[in-house]
Amino acid sequence: MKTSVVILAAGKGTRMHSELPKVLHPILGQPLIQYSVAVAQSVAQSPPVLVVGHAAEKVRAAVAEAAEYVLQEPQLGTGHAVQQAETRLRGKSEYVLILYGDMPLVTAETVQKLLDVQKNHIGPISVLTLISDDPRGFGRIVRGEDGSVRAIVEEAQATPEEIAIKELNTGVFCFSADWLWDALKRVELSPKGEYYLTDLVSIAVKEGRSVRAIPATDETEMIGINTRVHLSDAAANMQQRINRAWMLAGVTLQDPATTYIEPTVQIGHDTVIAPNTHLIGSTEIGTACIIGPNTFIRDSKLGNRCEVFASVVEAALLEDDVDIGPFAHLRKGAHLAAGVHMGNFGEVKNSYLGPGTKMGHFSYLGDTTTGARVNIGAGTITCNYDGEHKHPTEIADDVFIGSDTMLVAPLKIGAGARTGAGSVVTKTVAEKTLVVGMPARAIRKLD
Ligand code: UD1
Ligand code: CA
């Protein structure tokens, strides 16, 4: 009993007033169409068919291999949109499930329930409805005196009595496939000049067939996005849903309202997240970490028991027991080994800091490798760029870099060496040697 999913995403989204197609506006870092695609993937065996039209190429590029595509050109309404999938799907499945690409909060569980209803229904249509005091411009479900579904009327065409109906069309439908493809040909042009998918309900009723309408239990799932007000409403609900799941999995969120965790993020139990923290992209955080407040972590991996206080971490790797901040900035390729301490106003880019290395105050390390137990004094800077090329700095184990040292790369500092405060080091320093001055010269051997 195969099910195909068709996701409608060809509309312009005029009410967004945007250059970006509506379904590509992000919610927690994901284009909102991605949420419907994920639901489709979990209820059906084959990839969904995405109906694209307005800015089709951009939508295709964003969703890529996760869906198959049919083009709707011009866009003549939701019924016309579904019709475009006929040649692709006719004869291939028993049921066709319709999702609207602008409803990212609908869950796989809810859709599966509708599918199960239709599988036990002799009529050709099951539709998910919503009973609400807020009509949101949705179509109204018209029922007869016996309670059976008679029609769906769009708000623009509704009579005052119909306008008052509180049962709304969510746009999630399940159809018997063979009936759907034939019946779509009988949909007539609406007064607005569109072929409405919703007209299939009255078409079925006129044929004497029954339509099941199942009220949804969670109103927030049915937030459809037509404006940026709806977008922020949907984003807030998605944020709550994700945050709640992490709390139930053992993560403390001190202020869920200001904690933004993208759906692609992983977090270990007993980690505590303080207010105003953003966890973005492919970030993975270990157990028993303390993150935030005021922290932004993107595409980074943190081990266990790390502390990140008021800092920005991008494409970095932190091993266990690393603590950074406040006001640290880790950039692409920063790799801090176990037990590294990095205090305030530090920046590290494309560099490895060996185990136990300390970099307490106001420093920049770029294209640098340090050994274990290195001390980077306040104000140390690797001068890694000569205006044309980047050059590497290598600092061996147990080196002590004095405050305000400039390390002019390319450069190697031998194990156990020291630099005096304010040195400008332009040449390789031998191990266990103290260098001072500008340019720094060796003044004695250390034991
Ligand atoms: C639609 C329903 C309405 C329902 C509401 C729920 C119809 C006629 N109306 O209204 O009953 O309550 O959704 O959110 O179905 N689309 C296309 N091609 C088109 C037109 C639309 O692909 O030619 C896509 C849009 O990109 C969008 C979806 O279909 O993802 C819904 O279209 P939209 O214009 O937002 O319909 P609503 O007015 O919201
Ligand atoms: Ca809509």
Side-chain angles (χ1 to χ4, degrees), residues 46-86:
S46 46
V49 173
L50 204 59
V51 182
V52 292
H54 176 74
E57 282 316 308
K58 282 189 192 165
V59 177
R60 275 178 93 126
V63 179
E65 259 91 77
E68 291 175 6
Y69 301 88
V70 294
L71 188 65
Q72 184 198 17
E73 188 60 63
Q75 290 97 45
L76 300 178
T78 49
H80 179 252
V82 173
Q83 211 168 18
Q84 309 310 306
E86 179 182 350

Short mmCIF file of all heavy atoms in Angstrom, two decimals, residues 46-86:
data_model
loop_
_atom_site.label_atom_id
_atom_site.label_comp_id
_atom_site.label_asym_id
_atom_site.label_seq_id
_atom_site.Cartn_x
_atom_site.Cartn_y
_atom_site.Cartn_z
N SER A 46 9.35 6.59 -0.77
CA SER A 46 10.11 7.24 -1.85
C SER A 46 10.16 8.75 -1.60
O SER A 46 9.34 9.29 -0.86
CB SER A 46 9.44 6.94 -3.19
OG SER A 46 8.06 7.12 -3.07
N PRO A 47 11.12 9.44 -2.22
CA PRO A 47 11.26 10.88 -1.99
C PRO A 47 9.98 11.63 -2.39
O PRO A 47 9.30 11.22 -3.34
CB PRO A 47 12.42 11.30 -2.89
CG PRO A 47 12.96 10.08 -3.50
CD PRO A 47 12.09 8.92 -3.17
N PRO A 48 9.64 12.73 -1.71
CA PRO A 48 8.45 13.49 -2.07
C PRO A 48 8.63 14.17 -3.42
O PRO A 48 9.75 14.42 -3.85
CB PRO A 48 8.36 14.54 -0.96
CG PRO A 48 9.74 14.69 -0.44
CD PRO A 48 10.38 13.33 -0.58
N VAL A 49 7.50 14.46 -4.05
CA VAL A 49 7.52 15.26 -5.28
C VAL A 49 7.22 16.70 -4.87
O VAL A 49 6.18 16.99 -4.29
CB VAL A 49 6.48 14.76 -6.30
CG1 VAL A 49 6.39 15.70 -7.48
CG2 VAL A 49 6.84 13.35 -6.74
N LEU A 50 8.17 17.57 -5.15
CA LEU A 50 8.02 18.97 -4.79
C LEU A 50 7.53 19.73 -6.02
O LEU A 50 8.15 19.65 -7.08
CB LEU A 50 9.39 19.49 -4.36
CG LEU A 50 9.47 20.67 -3.43
CD1 LEU A 50 8.73 20.38 -2.14
CD2 LEU A 50 10.94 20.97 -3.11
N VAL A 51 6.39 20.42 -5.89
CA VAL A 51 5.90 21.23 -7.00
C VAL A 51 6.54 22.61 -6.87
O VAL A 51 6.31 23.32 -5.88
CB VAL A 51 4.36 21.34 -6.98
CG1 VAL A 51 3.87 22.15 -8.18
CG2 VAL A 51 3.72 19.96 -6.97
N VAL A 52 7.38 22.95 -7.83
CA VAL A 52 8.08 24.23 -7.80
C VAL A 52 7.62 25.10 -8.97
O VAL A 52 7.14 24.59 -9.97
CB VAL A 52 9.62 24.05 -7.84
CG1 VAL A 52 10.11 23.41 -6.56
CG2 VAL A 52 10.05 23.22 -9.04
N GLY A 53 7.75 26.40 -8.81
CA GLY A 53 7.31 27.31 -9.88
C GLY A 53 8.02 28.63 -9.71
O GLY A 53 9.06 28.88 -10.32
N HIS A 54 7.53 29.43 -8.79
CA HIS A 54 8.19 30.70 -8.53
C HIS A 54 9.61 30.43 -7.99
O HIS A 54 9.79 29.66 -7.05
CB HIS A 54 7.38 31.50 -7.50
CG HIS A 54 8.06 32.77 -7.13
ND1 HIS A 54 8.10 33.86 -7.97
CD2 HIS A 54 8.78 33.11 -6.04
CE1 HIS A 54 8.80 34.82 -7.39
NE2 HIS A 54 9.22 34.39 -6.22
N ALA A 55 10.61 31.04 -8.63
CA ALA A 55 12.03 30.86 -8.21
C ALA A 55 12.38 29.37 -8.10
O ALA A 55 13.07 28.95 -7.18
CB ALA A 55 12.32 31.59 -6.91
N ALA A 56 11.90 28.59 -9.07
CA ALA A 56 12.07 27.13 -9.01
C ALA A 56 13.52 26.70 -8.83
O ALA A 56 13.81 25.79 -8.05
CB ALA A 56 11.50 26.50 -10.28
N GLU A 57 14.42 27.38 -9.53
CA GLU A 57 15.83 26.95 -9.48
C GLU A 57 16.42 27.11 -8.08
O GLU A 57 17.16 26.26 -7.61
CB GLU A 57 16.68 27.68 -10.53
CG GLU A 57 16.48 27.12 -11.94
CD GLU A 57 16.49 25.57 -11.96
OE1 GLU A 57 17.43 24.96 -11.42
OE2 GLU A 57 15.52 24.98 -12.48
N LYS A 58 16.06 28.20 -7.43
CA LYS A 58 16.58 28.42 -6.07
C LYS A 58 16.05 27.36 -5.10
O LYS A 58 16.77 26.87 -4.24
CB LYS A 58 16.15 29.80 -5.55
CG LYS A 58 16.95 30.95 -6.11
CD LYS A 58 16.59 32.23 -5.38
CE LYS A 58 17.16 33.43 -6.11
NZ LYS A 58 16.56 34.69 -5.66
N VAL A 59 14.77 27.01 -5.26
CA VAL A 59 14.17 26.02 -4.36
C VAL A 59 14.81 24.65 -4.60
O VAL A 59 15.19 23.95 -3.66
CB VAL A 59 12.64 25.96 -4.55
CG1 VAL A 59 12.03 24.87 -3.67
CG2 VAL A 59 12.02 27.31 -4.22
N ARG A 60 14.99 24.30 -5.87
CA ARG A 60 15.64 23.03 -6.21
C ARG A 60 17.04 22.95 -5.64
O ARG A 60 17.46 21.93 -5.12
CB ARG A 60 15.78 22.90 -7.73
CG ARG A 60 14.59 22.36 -8.42
CD ARG A 60 14.86 22.33 -9.90
NE ARG A 60 15.39 21.05 -10.28
CZ ARG A 60 14.86 20.30 -11.25
NH1 ARG A 60 13.82 20.75 -11.93
NH2 ARG A 60 15.37 19.14 -11.54
N ALA A 61 17.78 24.06 -5.78
CA ALA A 61 19.17 24.06 -5.30
C ALA A 61 19.21 23.86 -3.79
O ALA A 61 20.10 23.19 -3.27
CB ALA A 61 19.85 25.37 -5.69
N ALA A 62 18.23 24.41 -3.09
CA ALA A 62 18.24 24.31 -1.63
C ALA A 62 17.85 22.90 -1.16
O ALA A 62 18.43 22.39 -0.20
CB ALA A 62 17.29 25.34 -1.02
N VAL A 63 16.89 22.29 -1.81
CA VAL A 63 16.40 20.98 -1.33
C VAL A 63 17.20 19.83 -1.95
O VAL A 63 17.34 18.76 -1.37
CB VAL A 63 14.89 20.83 -1.62
CG1 VAL A 63 14.35 19.49 -1.15
CG2 VAL A 63 14.11 21.97 -0.96
N ALA A 64 17.73 20.07 -3.14
CA ALA A 64 18.62 19.14 -3.85
C ALA A 64 18.05 17.73 -3.94
O ALA A 64 16.91 17.55 -4.34
CB ALA A 64 20.00 19.16 -3.21
N GLU A 65 18.82 16.73 -3.55
CA GLU A 65 18.45 15.32 -3.77
C GLU A 65 17.34 14.82 -2.85
O GLU A 65 16.85 13.71 -3.02
CB GLU A 65 19.66 14.42 -3.55
CG GLU A 65 20.34 13.96 -4.82
CD GLU A 65 21.43 14.92 -5.23
OE1 GLU A 65 22.50 14.87 -4.62
OE2 GLU A 65 21.18 15.73 -6.14
N ALA A 66 16.95 15.64 -1.86
CA ALA A 66 15.96 15.17 -0.90
C ALA A 66 14.56 15.03 -1.51
O ALA A 66 13.67 14.47 -0.88
CB ALA A 66 15.93 16.10 0.31
N ALA A 67 14.35 15.55 -2.72
CA ALA A 67 13.03 15.47 -3.34
C ALA A 67 13.17 15.28 -4.84
O ALA A 67 14.25 15.43 -5.41
CB ALA A 67 12.24 16.75 -3.05
N GLU A 68 12.03 14.94 -5.49
CA GLU A 68 11.95 15.01 -6.94
C GLU A 68 11.13 16.25 -7.27
O GLU A 68 10.41 16.76 -6.42
CB GLU A 68 11.26 13.76 -7.49
CG GLU A 68 12.15 12.53 -7.30
CD GLU A 68 11.44 11.26 -7.72
OE1 GLU A 68 10.32 11.32 -8.25
OE2 GLU A 68 12.05 10.20 -7.49
N TYR A 69 11.22 16.72 -8.51
CA TYR A 69 10.63 18.02 -8.81
C TYR A 69 9.70 17.96 -10.02
O TYR A 69 9.99 17.27 -10.99
CB TYR A 69 11.74 19.04 -9.10
CG TYR A 69 12.66 19.17 -7.91
CD1 TYR A 69 13.76 18.33 -7.78
CD2 TYR A 69 12.38 20.08 -6.90
CE1 TYR A 69 14.58 18.40 -6.66
CE2 TYR A 69 13.19 20.16 -5.77
CZ TYR A 69 14.29 19.32 -5.67
OH TYR A 69 15.09 19.39 -4.56
N VAL A 70 8.59 18.70 -9.93
CA VAL A 70 7.80 18.98 -11.13
C VAL A 70 7.57 20.49 -11.15
O VAL A 70 7.46 21.14 -10.10
CB VAL A 70 6.45 18.23 -11.18
CG1 VAL A 70 6.67 16.73 -11.29
CG2 VAL A 70 5.58 18.55 -9.99
N LEU A 71 7.54 21.02 -12.36
CA LEU A 71 7.42 22.46 -12.51
C LEU A 71 5.97 22.85 -12.77
O LEU A 71 5.30 22.23 -13.59
CB LEU A 71 8.29 22.90 -13.70
CG LEU A 71 8.46 24.39 -13.91
CD1 LEU A 71 9.22 25.02 -12.74
CD2 LEU A 71 9.19 24.66 -15.22
N GLN A 72 5.48 23.83 -12.04
CA GLN A 72 4.15 24.38 -12.28
C GLN A 72 4.33 25.78 -12.85
O GLN A 72 4.71 26.71 -12.13
CB GLN A 72 3.33 24.43 -10.99
CG GLN A 72 1.90 24.91 -11.22
CD GLN A 72 1.22 25.39 -9.95
OE1 GLN A 72 1.87 25.67 -8.94
NE2 GLN A 72 -0.09 25.52 -10.00
N GLU A 73 4.01 25.94 -14.11
CA GLU A 73 4.25 27.22 -14.76
C GLU A 73 3.16 27.46 -15.80
O GLU A 73 3.09 26.71 -16.75
CB GLU A 73 5.65 27.16 -15.42
CG GLU A 73 6.13 28.46 -15.99
CD GLU A 73 6.25 29.54 -14.94
OE1 GLU A 73 7.06 29.38 -14.01
OE2 GLU A 73 5.51 30.54 -15.04
N PRO A 74 2.25 28.41 -15.69
CA PRO A 74 2.13 29.37 -14.59
C PRO A 74 1.49 28.72 -13.36
O PRO A 74 1.04 27.57 -13.44
CB PRO A 74 1.19 30.43 -15.18
CG PRO A 74 0.33 29.66 -16.14
CD PRO A 74 1.22 28.60 -16.72
N GLN A 75 1.41 29.44 -12.28
CA GLN A 75 0.83 28.91 -11.04
C GLN A 75 -0.66 29.25 -10.99
O GLN A 75 -1.03 30.39 -10.75
CB GLN A 75 1.54 29.49 -9.82
CG GLN A 75 2.96 28.96 -9.65
CD GLN A 75 4.01 29.90 -10.21
OE1 GLN A 75 3.96 31.09 -9.98
NE2 GLN A 75 4.96 29.36 -10.95
N LEU A 76 -1.47 28.23 -11.22
CA LEU A 76 -2.92 28.46 -11.32
C LEU A 76 -3.68 27.86 -10.14
O LEU A 76 -4.82 27.43 -10.31
CB LEU A 76 -3.44 27.91 -12.65
CG LEU A 76 -2.83 28.53 -13.91
CD1 LEU A 76 -3.39 27.86 -15.17
CD2 LEU A 76 -3.09 30.04 -13.96
N GLY A 77 -3.06 27.80 -8.99
CA GLY A 77 -3.77 27.34 -7.80
C GLY A 77 -3.32 25.97 -7.30
O GLY A 77 -2.59 25.25 -7.99
N THR A 78 -3.80 25.63 -6.11
CA THR A 78 -3.32 24.41 -5.44
C THR A 78 -3.76 23.13 -6.16
O THR A 78 -3.02 22.14 -6.17
CB THR A 78 -3.79 24.37 -3.97
OG1 THR A 78 -5.20 24.65 -3.92
CG2 THR A 78 -3.08 25.42 -3.13
N GLY A 79 -4.96 23.15 -6.76
CA GLY A 79 -5.42 21.97 -7.51
C GLY A 79 -4.56 21.76 -8.75
O GLY A 79 -4.10 20.64 -9.04
N HIS A 80 -4.31 22.84 -9.46
CA HIS A 80 -3.45 22.83 -10.64
C HIS A 80 -2.04 22.36 -10.27
O HIS A 80 -1.39 21.62 -11.02
CB HIS A 80 -3.45 24.24 -11.24
CG HIS A 80 -2.60 24.40 -12.46
ND1 HIS A 80 -1.42 25.11 -12.42
CD2 HIS A 80 -2.76 23.97 -13.73
CE1 HIS A 80 -0.87 25.10 -13.63
NE2 HIS A 80 -1.66 24.42 -14.45
N ALA A 81 -1.59 22.78 -9.09
CA ALA A 81 -0.24 22.40 -8.63
C ALA A 81 -0.14 20.87 -8.46
O ALA A 81 0.79 20.25 -8.95
CB ALA A 81 0.09 23.10 -7.31
N VAL A 82 -1.14 20.29 -7.80
CA VAL A 82 -1.11 18.83 -7.59
C VAL A 82 -1.17 18.09 -8.92
O VAL A 82 -0.49 17.08 -9.13
CB VAL A 82 -2.26 18.39 -6.65
CG1 VAL A 82 -2.32 16.86 -6.56
CG2 VAL A 82 -2.09 18.99 -5.26
N GLN A 83 -1.95 18.64 -9.86
CA GLN A 83 -2.10 18.01 -11.17
C GLN A 83 -0.75 17.83 -11.89
O GLN A 83 -0.57 16.89 -12.66
CB GLN A 83 -3.02 18.91 -12.02
CG GLN A 83 -3.83 18.14 -13.01
CD GLN A 83 -4.91 19.02 -13.62
OE1 GLN A 83 -4.84 20.25 -13.55
NE2 GLN A 83 -5.90 18.40 -14.21
N GLN A 84 0.18 18.73 -11.61
CA GLN A 84 1.48 18.66 -12.29
C GLN A 84 2.24 17.38 -11.93
O GLN A 84 3.15 16.97 -12.63
CB GLN A 84 2.37 19.87 -11.95
CG GLN A 84 1.71 21.22 -12.14
CD GLN A 84 1.05 21.35 -13.49
OE1 GLN A 84 1.68 21.14 -14.54
NE2 GLN A 84 -0.23 21.69 -13.50
N ALA A 85 1.85 16.77 -10.81
CA ALA A 85 2.56 15.56 -10.36
C ALA A 85 1.96 14.29 -10.97
O ALA A 85 2.49 13.19 -10.77
CB ALA A 85 2.55 15.47 -8.85
N GLU A 86 0.86 14.44 -11.72
CA GLU A 86 0.16 13.24 -12.21
C GLU A 86 1.05 12.32 -13.05
O GLU A 86 1.11 11.12 -12.80
CB GLU A 86 -1.09 13.63 -13.01
CG GLU A 86 -1.82 12.39 -13.53
CD GLU A 86 -3.04 12.69 -14.39
OE1 GLU A 86 -3.46 13.86 -14.45
OE2 GLU A 86 -3.56 11.74 -15.00
#
